[in-house]
Amino acid sequence: MTIVTVRRVAVLGSGVIGTSIALALRHRGVHVDLADRDPAVVAEAVRLGAGQAWADGAPPADVVVIATPPSAVVTVLREAQRLRMGTVYTDVASAKAQIIALAELTGCDLAAYVPGHPMGGRELSGPSAARADLFIGRPWALCPHPATGRATLRAVTDLVALCGAEPRLIPAEVHDRAVAAVSHAPHLVSCAIAAHFQETDQATLSLAGKGLQDMTRIAAGAPHLWRDILQHNAGQVAAVLETIVADLSQAAAALRGCDPGARDALNDLLVRGARGHRQIAEQRGPSPVEQLGPDTPDVLEIG
Amino acid sequence: MTIVTVRRVAVLGSGVIGTSIALALRHRGVHVDLADRDPAVVAEAVRLGAGQAWADGAPPADVVVIATPPSAVVTVLREAQRLRMGTVYTDVASAKAQIIALAELTGCDLAAYVPGHPMGGRELSGPSAARADLFIGRPWALCPHPATGRATLRAVTDLVALCGAEPRLIPAEVHDRAVAAVSHAPHLVSCAIAAHFQETDQATLSLAGKGLQDMTRIAAGAPHLWRDILQHNAGQVAAVLETIVADLSQAAAALRGCDPGARDALNDLLVRGARGHRQIAEQRGPSPVEQLGPDTPDVLEIG
């Protein structure tokens, strides 16, 4: 697959996601300029081979990737468009509808912007946690606005393919509801389990095994970044948490024997859980997009 | 390490735990007799090399391992002691206090019984899911009764060592509280997350990644077995669930913006979760027991 639309990329934000994208693009021979509000972080990313530090007078990028926390995306987008840093813009924030609404409100050029979200990540942060293969075979959601131009979408789809990921076109609201269920609410649930062990005794911890480790792995994520993410998808995440709380409250009542009718609730939750597990385990993503047509992005449209 | 106290073992119950113990013992040259209420399951375990089918007139075992679901343990223990199937008895149920109380009540010979719980397991069930290495390096809780004899404890400790596991002496109540936190409550939480995906759309599932898989893996456990386990540790599990429900309810309220004071609760949960994760990740079990003294079981006493 030869991709000619993406030869020069600017990555704004050199955290684990931005640096991973930069490393993946460098492996495919793309020129990458890196920027971050913290010069030390850019220096680290440069040292890791992720590209070179962005400098005044750099030629405009084919694609500008905004890899900041969600709350900074629109400010950075507007400033980057004002400075004409590139032809096409995308971001990587894990909640989309609120960012799109703010980009509309503040007069960003939406024809040149594709809201995006690579569905890969690590619970570690910073450029040193970056990996060139982080997105290989992973879905990468794209939520184009009605105003988004075809060539704009094409360029961002090409960038996704260069990172080895699978572009998925999905409406922002559908995306946000889905990630609330598969990622954002589970993050808080993982925290609630892990929080229980903050000051636990050694006797308890010494009996822990892989089950607990798996259930608490994602709780390691940086709290300030996660607060930002969750506040950008607040209603959808709250809705998922409320169904989980209802199930667990019923289970606790059944175990307390408070409610004779609740005994069935325990069994019901165990059965539904095992069925849900099967659904998740059986899920196989579609095969990678191998060839994109000249005009029509041949990406899976979902939602 | 030469272990002379355990040369012949009877394993009653040929599920994944019983058959894994039998396989581990066979690898160390121990004679193993197998029994199960379902002859087809015994036949499968025999075929896998876990031992031979128990037959009337078999010589008494040095240790009888009761590897049934919790609700069958005391009935099987009493019957096995009545038949004089062995010298020493242990079980593998994952909740202990209720079983010990019932064994006392029904007049089991407690001097010859060590309540036990190997802290290894699989979400799969049946003899075909058994593995000889399931317990290697894993803790194996032993909750001896005040009436338990020294030689009895010694024999069971030797059996644990033959399986490659690390014996831990722990009071039954401390054990039950610990496993409620590290295993039983997380199982229901995993079910509550997985249940959300029972009838979900493909769009949502196609965005799921390793985080969701990890959070829902243990939900695959057999519902009837888990109901039995949970009902044997009901109060302790309910207490853990109630703290998790409180944390998640507060987080949902914070996200709904219902309560201005609740905004801090979201950050607090994320910070406590990350700290709890560190506690869990830093936990290292003590090194394997390499040598047991001739009389005193050199096992870690916790609680």
Side-chain angles (χ1 to χ4, degrees):
Chain A
M1 177 172 54
T2 309
I3 288 175
V4 294
T5 58
V6 183
R7 286 174 169 163
R8 183 173 199 106
V9 169
V11 177
L12 311 184
S14 301
V16 60
I17 301 297
T19 305
S20 292
I21 293 171
L23 286 171
L25 294 172
R26 289 296 302 128
H27 282 212
R28 300 295 300 267
V30 176
H31 178 97
V32 178
D33 288 318
L34 301 162
D36 195 284
R37 60 179 186 177
D38 180 351
V41 168
V42 173
E44 170 74 358
V46 169
R47 201 185 59 73
L48 293 166
Q52 62 180 50
W54 185 84
D56 276 334
D62 298 313
V63 181
V64 175
V65 178
I66 299 163
T68 67
S71 57
V73 168
V74 177
T75 309
V76 171
L77 172 63
R78 208 171 50 219
E79 183 66 6
Q81 290 190 331
R82 194 182 65 76
L83 294 172
R84 299 183 191 283
M85 286 183 75
T87 310
V88 162
Y89 299 81
T90 188
D91 75 308
V92 302
S94 64
K96 307 276 35 134
Q98 204 169 311
I99 283 173
I100 294 168
L102 189 63
E104 277 177 347
L105 264 175
T106 55
C108 293
D109 176 6
L110 298 173
Y113 170 50
V114 183
H117 177 208
M119 303 299 299
R122 301 195 70 186
E123 60 275 22
L124 304 171
S125 51
S128 60
R131 287 169 34 175
D133 64 355
L134 193 58
F135 308 110
I136 290 178
R138 298 290 306 141
W140 186 314
L142 298 174
C143 309
H145 190 271
T148 305
R150 287 190 84 76
T152 300
L153 182 55
R154 170 74 201 206
V156 175
T157 306
D158 285 351
L159 177 129
V160 170
L162 281 168
C163 292
E166 301 176 20
R168 306 277 169 91
L169 296 188
I170 181 169
E173 290 70 24
V174 178
H175 167 274
D176 287 2
R177 197 183 322 126
V179 293
V182 304
S183 164
H184 298 174
H187 186 88
L188 282 169
V189 174
S190 183
C191 284
I193 296 177
H196 203 83
F197 294 89
Q198 206 192 166
E199 288 173 359
T200 199
D201 52 304
Q202 187 58 27
T204 297
L205 270 181
S206 76
L207 295 183
K210 187 168 185 302
L212 185 71
Q213 278 163 18
D214 283 357
M215 293 292 288
T216 54
R217 181 178 60 82
I218 57 177
H224 63 280
L225 176 61
W226 272 95
R227 186 175 52 168
D228 193 6
I229 291 169
L230 293 165
Q231 286 176 341
H232 274 76
N233 202 16
Q236 305 277 18
V237 177
V240 178
L241 287 184
E242 283 153 3
T243 68
I244 291 171
V245 162
D247 269 336
L248 296 181
S249 300
Q250 269 203 308
L255 290 166
R256 291 283 188 206
C258 306
D259 174 4
R263 280 201 104 67
D264 291 344
L266 190 66
N267 198 49
D268 179 59
L269 177 56
L270 292 165
V271 169
R272 286 189 292 123
R275 277 197 204 126
H277 171 271
R278 263 197 304 281
Q279 283 292 109
I280 295 162
E282 279 167 14
Q283 187 267 335
R284 293 282 178 279
S287 58
V289 176
E290 279 165 11
Q291 180 78 45
L292 297 174
D295 278 319
T296 318
D298 178 24
V299 292
L300 181 73
E301 217 160 321
I302 51 181
Chain B
M1 176 172 54
T2 311
I3 287 174
V4 294
T5 58
V6 183
R7 286 173 169 163
R8 183 173 200 108
V9 168
V11 177
L12 311 184
S14 301
V16 60
I17 301 296
T19 306
S20 291
I21 293 171
L23 286 171
L25 294 172
R26 289 294 304 126
H27 282 212
R28 300 295 299 267
V30 176
H31 178 97
V32 179
D33 288 318
L34 300 162
D36 194 283
R37 60 180 185 177
D38 181 350
V41 168
V42 173
E44 170 74 358
V46 169
R47 201 185 59 73
L48 293 166
Q52 62 180 51
W54 185 84
D56 276 334
D62 297 312
V63 182
V64 175
V65 179
I66 299 163
T68 68
S71 57
V73 168
V74 177
T75 308
V76 171
L77 172 62
R78 209 173 46 221
E79 183 66 6
Q81 290 190 332
R82 194 183 64 78
L83 294 172
R84 300 184 190 282
M85 286 182 75
T87 310
V88 162
Y89 299 82
T90 188
D91 74 309
V92 302
S94 64
K96 307 272 41 128
Q98 203 169 314
I99 283 173
I100 294 168
L102 189 63
E104 277 177 347
L105 263 175
T106 55
C108 293
D109 175 7
L110 298 173
Y113 169 49
V114 183
H117 177 208
M119 303 299 299
R122 301 195 70 186
E123 61 274 23
L124 305 171
S125 52
S128 60
R131 287 169 35 177
D133 64 356
L134 193 58
F135 308 110
I136 290 178
R138 299 288 307 139
W140 187 313
L142 298 175
C143 310
H145 189 271
T148 303
R150 287 191 83 77
T152 300
L153 181 55
R154 171 73 201 206
V156 175
T157 306
D158 286 350
L159 177 129
V160 169
L162 281 168
C163 292
E166 302 176 20
R168 307 278 169 91
L169 296 189
I170 181 170
E173 290 70 24
V174 178
H175 167 274
D176 287 2
R177 195 181 326 123
V179 294
V182 305
S183 163
H184 298 174
H187 186 88
L188 282 168
V189 174
S190 183
C191 284
I193 295 177
H196 202 83
F197 294 89
Q198 205 191 167
E199 288 173 359
T200 199
D201 53 303
Q202 187 58 26
T204 298
L205 270 182
S206 77
L207 296 183
K210 187 168 183 304
L212 184 71
Q213 279 164 18
D214 282 358
M215 293 291 289
T216 54
R217 182 178 59 82
I218 57 177
H224 64 279
L225 177 60
W226 271 96
R227 186 175 51 169
D228 193 5
I229 291 170
L230 293 165
Q231 286 176 341
H232 274 76
N233 202 16
Q236 305 277 17
V237 177
V240 178
L241 286 183
E242 283 153 4
T243 68
I244 291 171
V245 162
D247 269 336
L248 295 181
S249 300
Q250 268 203 309
L255 289 166
R256 290 284 188 205
C258 306
D259 175 4
R263 280 201 104 65
D264 290 344
L266 190 65
N267 198 48
D268 179 61
L269 178 56
L270 292 165
V271 169
R272 286 189 291 123
R275 277 197 204 126
H277 171 271
R278 263 197 304 281
Q279 284 292 108
I280 295 162
E282 279 166 13
Q283 187 267 334
R284 294 282 178 280
S287 58
V289 176
E290 279 167 9
Q291 181 77 46
L292 297 175
D295 278 319
T296 318
D298 179 23
V299 293
L300 181 73
E301 216 160 322
I302 50 183

